[in-house]
Amino acid sequence: MTLRTLALLALIATPAAADEIWVTNERDDTISVIDADTLQVTRTINVGERPRGITFAHDYSVVYVCASASNAVQVIDPDTGEILHDLPSGEDPEQFVLHPDGKHLYIANEDDAITTVVDVESRTVVAQISVGIEPEGMAVSPDGKTVITTSETTNMAHWIDTQTQTIYANTLVDSRPRDANFVKNGAELWVSSEIGGTVTVFDTADQTELSKIRFEIPGVLPELIQPVGFVLTGDEKTAFVALGPANHVAVVNADTYEVERYILAGRRVWHMAFDADETRLFTTNGVSSDVTVIDVADEAAETTIAVGRFPWGAALRVTD
C-alpha cells in the first residue's frame, strides 16, 4: 500500500470536527465551548473580566468577545483558545455587531453613552458616536448602510448612517430596550424591551411603528415577562424570544406577529444561538448557570447543559 493511499485512508477515517456553540460566562470570566452534536462542553477558555457579547468573524477565523469589566474587546483564536490581542473598545463594552465588510465592529459602551466604531484590521477607533444613556443592543442592516444602537435608559433605538457615522433618526420604544435585529431582508427592525415587556416592529423605510408584540404566560406574573435576546429562523418565518426571569422562550409568527407557543427553559433565559442547520436552539440561562437545548421542529426543550456561572451570550462556530 502506497503512502498516498495510506494518507487518503487516514483522511477518510478522521471524523469531521463538529460545529460548536460558544457561551460567555460573565461571573466566571470564561467561555464554555459546546459540541453541537454531542451536547457536551469540550473546552473552557479563560478570558477577560465579565464577558458578555460574542461574535465570530464571517469566516470564523477569530472570535470577538466583549470583556466588559476589562474595558476591551478580545480577539481569540478559536482553535487554540489563545487571546491574540485586545481591541480598543471604549468603557464597558456590552454588545457589538460586525459590519458585513468584516472590517468594522460597532460596539455599545454602556457606561459612556457612546457607540464606538473600531477597525479590526488596523486596531484603531474610527469613530465614537454619542447615543442615549446605557446603550446595549446592536444591529446592522443586511446592506451595511444602517447600524442600530438601543439605549436602555433613554428608551430609544438610534439609527446610524455607516457612511457618515452619524445618527439620522431616533425612535422611542418601550422601557429598557435590550436587543435589536433587522428582519425580512432589512425591511423591518425588531427591538425587544425588557421592562416594557414587548417587541416593537418598525418599518425601516420611514422608521414608523408597524406592530407591537406582547406576551402573556398563564401562571407567570406580568412583571417577570421580560423580553431580551431573540433570533429568527433563516426563512424569517419564526422568531424565538427569550423572556428573562419568566424562564420561557416565546415562539412568534414573524408574518402575523402572533405568539404561537411558549417553551419552558432555564432560569433567566437571556440570549440564544441556532446550530448550523437550525434543528437546535441553545439558550443561555443566567441564574441556573446552564444552557437549554430546544428542538426547533418540536418546539420543546430537549436537554440542559451545565456551563459556567451566569451564562450571557451565545454564538455558533461552523468548523467546516
Side-chain angles (χ1 to χ4, degrees):
M1 189 175 292
T2 66
L3 289 176
R4 182 174 182 275
T5 302
L6 285 171
L8 287 172
L9 288 173
L11 183 62
I12 293 169
T14 302
D19 293 339
E20 298 170 336
I21 303 295
W22 287 47
V23 173
T24 54
N25 303 305
E26 61 175 328
R27 288 281 178 88
D28 279 351
D29 303 336
T30 62
I31 293 172
S32 297
V33 180
I34 299 170
D35 184 306
D37 289 339
T38 66
L39 308 182
Q40 300 294 315
V41 174
T42 59
R43 289 186 287 167
T44 299
I45 299 169
N46 293 318
V47 292
E49 296 179 20
R50 201 182 181 190
R52 290 190 281 181
I54 181 169
T55 193
F56 281 86
H58 299 319
D59 62 359
Y60 299 98
S61 58
V62 296
V63 59
Y64 303 101
V65 176
C66 283
S68 299
S70 296
N71 297 323
V73 169
Q74 297 187 313
V75 183
I76 299 172
D77 182 326
D79 290 326
T80 65
E82 177 189 359
I83 298 172
L84 301 174
H85 54 267
D86 290 352
L87 294 173
S89 67
E91 293 289 324
D92 193 19
E94 184 163 354
Q95 287 205 71
F96 47 20
V97 66
L98 183 62
H99 192 274
D101 66 11
K103 183 178 179 180
H104 294 97
L105 270 178
Y106 286 75
I107 306 165
N109 298 124
E110 186 171 29
D111 287 350
D112 279 356
I114 282 173
T115 295
T116 298
V117 188
V118 173
D119 184 317
V120 300
E121 296 175 358
S122 64
R123 306 180 196 175
T124 58
V125 173
V126 173
Q128 288 193 306
I129 305 159
S130 293
V131 292
I133 300 170
E134 288 190 284
E136 175 166 346
M138 298 295 304
V140 60
S141 60
D143 61 11
K145 293 181 179 179
T146 299
V147 161
I148 299 295
T149 300
T150 67
S151 52
E152 294 179 44
T153 301
T154 311
N155 300 328
M156 280 186 176
H158 309 283
W159 304 66
I160 298 170
D161 183 320
T162 59
Q163 291 296 311
T164 62
Q165 310 294 9
T166 58
I167 293 173
Y168 67 86
N170 297 290
T171 47
L172 283 169
V173 294
D174 290 330
S175 182
R176 203 169 179 84
R178 281 288 192 177
D179 207 10
N181 272 300
F182 283 91
V183 177
K184 299 175 185 175
N185 200 31
E188 295 178 0
L189 175 74
W190 291 29
V191 179
S192 64
S193 296
E194 180 183 14
I195 302 304
T198 61
V199 172
T200 305
V201 182
F202 293 99
D203 185 329
T204 58
D206 57 9
Q207 297 85 53
T208 56
E209 184 178 311
L210 294 174
S211 184
K212 199 176 290 288
I213 304 168
R214 303 180 188 277
F215 308 90
E216 184 176 346
I217 305 172
V220 177
L221 294 173
E223 58 265 31
L224 295 179
I225 302 175
Q226 300 177 7
V228 279
F230 62 95
V231 294
L232 282 92
T233 52
D235 61 9
E236 299 194 315
K237 297 292 185 183
T238 305
F240 293 84
V241 183
L243 298 178
N247 304 335
H248 282 76
V249 172
V251 183
V252 178
N253 184 312
D255 291 326
T256 66
Y257 312 122
E258 296 295 324
V259 179
E260 298 181 335
R261 185 171 183 150
Y262 295 99
I263 303 168
L264 182 63
R267 296 174 62 198
R268 202 213 71 166
V269 56
W270 207 247
H271 283 287
M272 296 172 283
F274 286 112
D275 62 7
D277 60 5
E278 295 185 356
T279 58
R280 285 169 167 157
L281 179 65
F282 297 75
T283 77
T284 60
N285 311 317
V287 174
S288 52
S289 295
D290 54 25
V291 167
T292 299
V293 183
I294 293 173
D295 184 303
V296 173
D298 291 342
E299 296 179 351
E302 177 183 340
T303 191
T304 300
I305 305 167
V307 289
R309 292 183 300 160
F310 274 66
W312 197 96
L316 166 69
R317 180 196 180 199
V318 176
T319 58
D320 56 8

